[in-house]
Amino acid sequence: HGMQHAVFSDRVADADRGRHFSRMQPESQRAVFDLSWPQHFFIGHADGVPVLVMGGEKDAFFPPSMIESTARIYGVTPETFPEMGHAMMLEPDWQLAADRIIGWLKGIGL
């Protein structure tokens, strides 16, 4: 159950954690390999490409400090959602993150 607590905040009920977790598959080995290298060497400046950097305050994998440093690389303001874990789309307040993405997309004309 340790991994479930790393993926979800304490606000997600145990039954929901188990239900969601049973549908997940192992992480891509390529993704794990890619994330094991210092990302700032590979992430170029997004010259002319719109970027939105978001994260959950309770994310055990990408804490707010990493969200902030990623946003700095891209020259944007990070958006951290209080009390949310890594699986923001499965958190009780998932609609807040979804609405922010929708608003951002509309703001850039998509």
Side-chain angles (χ1 to χ4, degrees), residues 51-55 67-68 70-72 74-80 100 104:
V51 175
L52 173 64
V53 177
M54 296 174 32
I67 301 304
E68 291 164 11
T70 299
R72 253 191 321 277
Y74 285 109
V76 298
T77 302
E79 301 197 28
T80 304
R100 179 60 191 113
W104 181 79

Side-chain angles (χ1 to χ4, degrees), residues 9-103:
S9 75
D10 291 339
R11 297 180 315 138
V12 177
D14 286 340
D16 289 334
R17 282 184 201 170
R19 185 169 48 87
H20 294 314
F21 210 75
S22 71
R23 296 178 181 149
M24 294 180 182
Q25 63 186 26
E27 184 63 72
S28 156
Q29 291 302 308
R30 173 63 192 256
V32 171
F33 177 77
D34 286 351
L35 287 171
S36 67
W37 296 93
Q39 295 302 298
H40 64 278
F41 291 122
F42 302 106
I43 300 173
H45 291 284
D47 296 328
V49 176
V51 175
L52 173 64
V53 177
M54 296 174 32
E57 176 187 45
K58 303 291 184 180
D59 189 326
F61 299 105
F62 301 101
S65 61
M66 289 181 76
I67 301 304
E68 291 164 11
S69 66
T70 299
R72 253 191 321 277
I73 289 169
Y74 285 109
V76 298
T77 302
E79 301 197 28
T80 304
F81 289 80
E83 300 300 317
M84 285 197 186
H86 183 70
M88 294 170 64
M89 71 298 267
L90 299 173
E91 290 283 330
D93 293 335
W94 67 268
Q95 189 70 53
L96 295 173
D99 287 343
R100 179 60 191 113
I101 294 169
I102 292 167

